[in-house]
Amino acid sequence: MTQIVTRFAPSPTGLLHLGHAYSALFAWKIAQKRGGRFLMRLEDIDINRCRPNFVADLHQDLAWLGLRWPTPVRQQSHHFAFYQKALEDLKRMGVLYPCFCTRKDLERELTDMFGAPHYAPSGPDGPLYPGTCRTLTDDQRSQQLATGKAHAWRLNMDKALFRASRSGQDLSWIDERAGLQPLAAELMGDIVLGRKDIPTSYHLAVTLDDHLQGITLVTRGRDLFPASHIHRLLQILFGLDHPRWYHHDLVKDAQGQRMAKRRQSLSLKAMREAGQTAEEVMAKLDLSKAF
Ligand code: GLU
């Protein structure tokens, strides 16, 4: 049997909190329990929001929790050319289209179509893209591209699913907790795979890197469950072999709300600077019930 490889892949856009500690320890412990390996990866594609001090802090937080990982750590911002190449491959397959919409355009379009953006058909991450740029003619598309207008690259979900259905590959994936999942990527709509500012997005980079790094079990919070449908679809399009997944519960704060960087949830840094021990944190998280 192949050796299990897990990973924790934080984005250095803020300080880590208890929710991250749970995710990191979950990946670490499950690898240990099954005699496998644990990797750490920096998902820092969002160059405007990532900060070097958050990288330094998260290294200290994870070491404080007792985690160890092989170095050098893969840092996504050093590999844009690699993601760009994959994006070109998808363009050649004919499953991407350029999208020139701005946030304002989208709001206007959704308001025109549905009365207000929040009445529009919605996916796990908010209103689904209404398809404005999908229906441009070839001429309109070339004209817009020729003007140099900023554009993202979106997946044409119908075309991608059609191609997947003809690939002869497995149109499902396995979550070790929730069981067999028939592919349902359409619930995410025409997602962005190449952003306006960088030649990738979370979905593309995470799928390629998990493959490149030989991850056999992708563990992460339940909030990312729907994203795994997209990742499985991308694996099919690229013909990559697939890992298994385990989406774990999310840590809630005293008010029953899930931890979030933007809500300034109590950080691991603050806990360690206040003299708390890693053992106290682990007791609070009680991973023994996790698996
Ligand atoms: N960088 C992502 C995050 O911090 C990782 C998600 C994943 O594990 O796939 O949410």
Side-chain angles (χ1 to χ4, degrees), residues 13 15-20 22-23 49 124-126 202 220-226 248-266 285:
T13 55
L15 292 172
L16 300 190
H17 50 60
L18 273 180
H20 296 108
Y22 188 95
S23 258
R49 290 174 58 225
D125 297 334
Y202 159 66
R220 57 182 170 221
R222 291 177 66 151
D223 52 332
L224 286 166
F225 199 104
H248 59 69
D249 285 335
L250 300 176
V251 179
K252 306 251 170 77
D253 64 16
Q255 287 75 43
Q257 298 247 40
R258 75 176 249 240
M259 304 268 163
K261 281 179 196 159
R262 61 180 178 283
R263 286 199 296 106
Q264 313 263 290
S265 294
L266 189 59
L285 293 173

Side-chain angles (χ1 to χ4, degrees), residues 59-102:
H59 272 91
Q60 284 187 45
D61 292 339
L62 298 176
W64 171 68
L65 288 173
L67 271 53
R68 301 289 177 268
W69 54 89
T71 52
V73 163
R74 183 168 173 86
Q75 194 165 345
Q76 292 188 324
S77 62
H78 294 179
H79 301 283
F80 285 136
F82 171 69
Y83 307 128
Q84 171 95 57
K85 190 188 158 297
L87 203 63
E88 298 304 324
D89 290 343
L90 291 172
K91 283 182 208 169
R92 266 191 298 277
M93 290 178 209
V95 294
L96 297 187
Y97 61 88
C99 173
F100 305 91
C101 296
T102 60

Side-chain angles (χ1 to χ4, degrees), residues 7-13 16 20 23 41-44 76 202 206-207 210 218-221 223-224 227-228 231 245 247 258 261:
R7 81 328 186 248
F8 177 59
S11 298
T13 55
L16 300 190
H20 296 108
S23 258
R41 178 171 74 227
L42 282 175
E43 300 211 326
D44 59 346
Q76 292 188 324
Y202 159 66
V206 80
T207 305
D210 282 340
V218 174
T219 65
R220 57 182 170 221
D223 52 332
L224 286 166
S228 298
H231 305 171
W245 282 262
H247 294 90
R258 75 176 249 240
K261 281 179 196 159

Side-chain angles (χ1 to χ4, degrees), residues 171-175 179-183 225 228-229 232 245 247:
L171 299 185
S172 64
W173 52 279
I174 292 172
D175 180 277
L180 185 73
Q181 304 297 312
L183 188 66
F225 199 104
S228 298
H229 286 286
R232 178 71 199 110
W245 282 262
H247 294 90

Side-chain angles (χ1 to χ4, degrees), residues 117-138:
H118 57 269
Y119 292 136
S122 199
D125 297 334
L128 295 180
Y129 180 65
T132 322
C133 290
R134 187 180 51 225
T135 53
L136 294 180
T137 63
D138 285 349

